[in-house]
Amino acid sequence: MILIGAIPVVMALLIAIPMLTKPEIPITAADSNDVISIEYSKQHLKKVQFGITDTIGATKTELLSIQNDGKVRYSVTIDGKPEPDIDSALEKATMKKLKALIKETGFMQIPKNSFTVKNDVAEYDKFGIKITFNGLTSSIQWPEQNATSEFIPPLITHVKDELDGIISEIIE
């Protein structure tokens, strides 16, 4: 009787252990025929008051463009003054990981919600991702979580973190 009861426990462990020890998205999901281009923008916005009207302006804008062949261009504009662009290239493993992340997680099917910014927020970061994957395009823009009362899906944040990591590698 104990042996029969132990069989489902052993099977559950055999399924759960690989999931717990390797939570990353499998890069085997990426197909060599997949075509992707990514445009990621990050703006640091600040509310400026002109008498009775308010306007929002970007104090810093960062743009990251990734092509299917791994070519990367990073642009920064600070207070309206563009810095020189940085051209780089991603390793094939990194490109494979990005493709798998977009393909396997269902990122392209995320609803194109509009995230509103709280009225009392004077300074915040706003992000945007435009991904073209195998001819389908998806664009999402959102403010940082502290600037909105709406829920930002963790998948969006995960992709943002991956792209921020690429920016960090390029800058160094």
Side-chain angles (χ1 to χ4, degrees):
M1 198 62 131
I2 293 174
L3 183 63
I4 293 173
I7 292 173
V9 172
V10 170
M11 294 302 289
L13 286 173
L14 290 174
I15 293 170
I17 289 174
M19 291 179 165
L20 294 174
T21 58
K22 196 172 183 182
E24 293 183 14
I25 286 115
I27 61 171
T28 56
D31 182 3
S32 61
N33 296 327
D34 290 335
V35 178
I36 191 169
S37 69
I38 301 171
E39 294 175 23
Y40 171 60
S41 67
K42 182 175 169 180
Q43 298 176 316
H44 183 74
L45 301 174
K46 191 173 188 178
K47 199 181 278 188
V48 180
Q49 296 181 347
F50 292 111
I52 56 174
T53 61
D54 292 343
T55 187
I56 296 175
T59 58
K60 182 177 181 182
T61 302
E62 299 175 73
L63 299 172
L64 178 70
S65 178
I66 302 172
Q67 300 305 316
N68 189 56
D69 59 1
K71 290 183 182 174
V72 177
R73 173 164 281 173
Y74 174 69
S75 308
V76 179
T77 303
I78 300 173
D79 293 325
K81 298 174 187 158
E83 301 283 323
D85 291 350
I86 299 173
D87 290 323
S88 185
L90 294 178
E91 295 176 10
K92 287 186 178 189
T94 305
M95 280 302 295
K96 217 173 188 183
K97 182 179 177 183
L98 278 175
K99 286 180 183 181
L101 177 64
I102 300 304
K103 185 177 183 178
E104 281 298 299
T105 59
F107 186 88
M108 298 299 286
Q109 284 74 37
I110 293 176
K112 314 311 181 266
N113 292 346
S114 176
F115 298 96
T116 56
V117 177
K118 297 177 196 173
N119 289 331
D120 61 340
V121 176
E123 204 169 328
Y124 62 96
D125 288 333
K126 180 180 177 184
F127 309 96
I129 297 177
K130 178 182 175 186
I131 297 176
T132 303
F133 187 77
N134 293 335
L136 300 173
T137 301
S138 178
S139 296
I140 301 172
Q141 293 189 357
W142 72 99
E144 63 183 314
Q145 187 64 65
N146 296 340
T148 185
S149 57
E150 298 172 41
F151 177 70
I152 308 291
L155 179 55
I156 293 174
T157 305
H158 184 65
V159 172
K160 176 194 101 47
D161 291 343
E162 288 290 329
L163 296 172
D164 283 341
I166 292 171
I167 290 173
S168 296
E169 288 177 16
I170 291 172
I171 293 173
E172 294 174 355

